């Protein structure tokens, strides 16, 4: 959202990617609306940027097919999205295997110059760049070659179990969700077995890492660090401080999110409007692609 204040940005709800794992129609629809509501609740300006549903732009799957036809098998076999699950191939569907190609289509269909990514997605962006370069080499200059933009700090957010936070791992904290559920999630953060009186290492504690990520005030972070190091401060206290911080910092987005969820038609209007804008760019690029391939 900060980048979108200085760059025209495309934000999409990745519902096509989601169906590689989500097989429940009602859950897919609910998650789509909730994701859009989250962007809007945090202040995304849809007058200057484009928010849309991936599946509303069929050109992206058309482009994916063209890209599939020039993407070598070994490239996809080495992708993290496949390798992480390749020990149980019966659970791997073709959509999951070609996930990086759809991701490439998502990016280069809109002439993206910059793609903000987490550390875990850098490989997939390199695949996107390789595919786009290969296409340009084979068929002439067609696509912009995108650049990755990463944050130097907090490139991977720890989940409540210490692994990378992910819905698929069920180790996430829903900062916009019901307060009772939010409290339960925070109270389930895994810690070591040090007792109340012992000094503790904040740098190895998942609670502190999350607090540090969220807090804006360096004095707040310093104060919590001192409490850890001085002893007489338990992990239960730290969890309560994290809960209070989440509720205070995200008070306004939480209220706005709940308001939007109660008015799904407003969310749908935003997505339809965004899809119409995105389609204009997608149509222009797909025409160029088809012309360069020799289909028209």
């Amino acid at each position: 959202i900060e980048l979108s204040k200085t760059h025209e940005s495309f934000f999409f709800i990745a519902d096509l990617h989601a169906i590689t794992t989500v097989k429940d129609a009602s859950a897919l629809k609910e998650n789509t609306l909730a994701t859009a509501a989250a962007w809007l609740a945090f202040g995304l300006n849809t007058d200057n940027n484009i928010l849309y549903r991936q599946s509303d732009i069929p050109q992206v799957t058309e482009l994916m097919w063209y890209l599939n036809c020039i993407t070598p098998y070994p490239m996809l076999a080495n992708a993290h999205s496949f390798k992480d699950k390749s020990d149980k191939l019966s659970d791997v569907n073709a959509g999951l295997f070609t996930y990086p190609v759809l991701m490439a289509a998502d990016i280069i269909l809109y002439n993206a110059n910059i793609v903000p990514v987490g550390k875990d997605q850098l490989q997939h962006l390199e695949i996107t760049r390789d595919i786009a370069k290969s296409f340009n080499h084979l068929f002439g200059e067609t696509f912009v070659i995108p650049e990755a933009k990463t944050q130097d700090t907090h490139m991977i957010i720890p989940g409540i179990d210490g692994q990378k936070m992910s819905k698929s791992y069920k180790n996430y904290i829903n900062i916009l969700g019901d307060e009772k559920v939010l409290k339960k999630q925070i109270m389930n953060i895994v810690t070591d077995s040090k007792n109340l009186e012992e000094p503790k290492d904040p740098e190895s504690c998942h609670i502190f890492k999350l607090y540090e990520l969220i807090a804006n005030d360096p004095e707040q972070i310093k104060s919590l660090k001192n409490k850890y190091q001085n002893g007489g401060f338990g992990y239960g206290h730290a969890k309560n401080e994290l809960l209070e911080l989440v509720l205070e910092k995200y008070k306004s987005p939480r209220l706005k999110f709940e308001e939007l969820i109660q008015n799904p038609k407003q969310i749908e209007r935003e997505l339809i409007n965004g899809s119409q804008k995105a389609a204009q760019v997608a149509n222009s690029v797909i025409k160029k692609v088809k012309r360069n391939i020799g289909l028209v």
Side-chain angles (χ1 to χ4, degrees):
I1 289 177
E2 286 304 312
L3 274 176
S4 74
K5 294 173 183 176
T6 55
H7 299 72
E8 182 188 15
S9 301
F10 288 72
F11 295 79
F12 70 91
I13 314 302
D15 53 349
L16 294 178
H17 284 290
I19 58 177
T20 61
T21 53
V22 178
K23 312 300 182 188
D24 182 318
S26 60
L28 184 66
K29 187 170 184 178
E30 287 172 17
N31 290 344
T32 298
L33 291 175
T35 303
W39 283 111
L40 295 167
F42 275 93
L44 176 65
N45 184 331
T46 53
D47 292 332
N48 300 331
N49 301 284
I50 298 174
L51 174 68
Y52 63 101
R53 185 168 26 218
Q54 184 187 27
S55 60
D56 284 344
I57 312 296
Q59 295 90 334
V60 75
T61 49
E62 180 181 356
L63 178 57
M64 182 193 182
W65 176 253
Y66 303 146
L67 301 181
N68 270 336
C69 294
I70 65 162
T71 302
Y73 175 91
M75 180 185 287
L76 298 181
N78 285 321
H80 296 317
S81 52
F82 170 70
K83 286 183 77 173
D84 290 349
K85 298 178 175 64
S86 59
D87 57 338
K88 194 174 181 183
L89 288 174
S90 59
D91 290 341
V92 177
N93 54 60
L96 182 67
F97 185 68
T98 57
Y99 170 102
V101 186
L102 180 55
M103 180 174 168
D106 289 322
I107 296 167
I108 62 178
L109 182 60
Y110 302 102
N111 295 321
N113 300 102
I114 298 171
V115 186
V117 289
K119 185 179 179 182
D120 61 319
Q121 289 294 332
L122 278 173
Q123 186 206 39
H124 287 155
L125 189 61
E126 278 305 311
I127 290 173
T128 296
R129 287 168 53 83
D130 288 343
I131 291 172
K133 287 176 183 177
S134 293
F135 191 100
N136 287 354
H137 176 72
L138 288 167
F139 301 109
E141 289 301 313
T142 309
F143 298 118
V144 173
I145 308 301
E147 299 287 341
K149 183 174 180 62
T150 59
Q151 285 182 300
D152 293 331
T153 57
H154 301 105
M155 292 179 76
I156 295 178
I157 299 173
I160 62 174
D161 59 357
Q163 296 185 83
K164 176 188 119 175
M165 186 178 286
S166 170
K167 274 200 166 184
S168 59
Y169 295 158
K170 295 183 172 58
N171 66 351
Y172 63 96
I173 295 172
N174 183 2
I175 58 176
L176 297 174
D178 177 80
E179 187 173 334
K180 289 182 179 178
V181 176
L182 172 63
K183 182 176 181 179
K184 185 177 180 182
Q185 288 172 334
I186 289 175
M187 292 303 161
N188 282 335
I189 296 174
V190 173
T191 62
D192 61 37
S193 57
K194 287 182 179 175
N195 63 40
L196 176 67
E197 299 305 321
E198 288 182 89
K200 299 165 183 67
D201 176 16
E203 303 304 331
S204 64
C205 177
H206 309 317
I207 309 165
F208 183 81
K209 287 178 182 176
L210 289 166
Y211 190 97
E212 187 179 33
L213 174 67
I214 296 169
N216 290 326
D217 184 357
E219 289 302 315
Q220 278 184 305
I221 298 170
K222 184 178 178 181
S223 173
L224 184 61
K225 181 179 281 191
N226 288 338
K227 290 176 182 177
Y228 269 79
Q229 294 170 338
N230 293 338
F233 182 79
Y235 289 121
H237 297 122
K239 289 175 181 179
N240 280 323
E241 293 213 14
L242 177 60
L243 175 62
E244 289 172 15
L245 176 65
V246 169
L247 291 174
E248 177 58 32
K249 179 167 182 177
Y250 301 119
K251 182 178 180 180
S252 177
R254 284 171 59 82
L255 290 171
K256 180 64 176 175
F257 178 81
E258 189 56 36
E259 177 188 313
L260 286 163
I261 288 297
Q262 298 303 321
N263 188 9
K265 288 183 179 179
Q266 182 181 345
I267 302 173
E268 283 291 344
R269 282 196 297 271
E270 290 279 9
L271 291 175
I272 290 168
N273 184 48
S275 296
Q276 289 170 346
K277 295 178 185 176
Q280 292 177 3
V281 181
N283 281 330
S284 173
V285 173
I286 208 75
K287 283 179 183 176
K288 185 177 182 182
V289 169
K290 293 174 77 171
R291 184 173 64 248
N292 288 0
I293 289 174
L295 294 174
V296 292

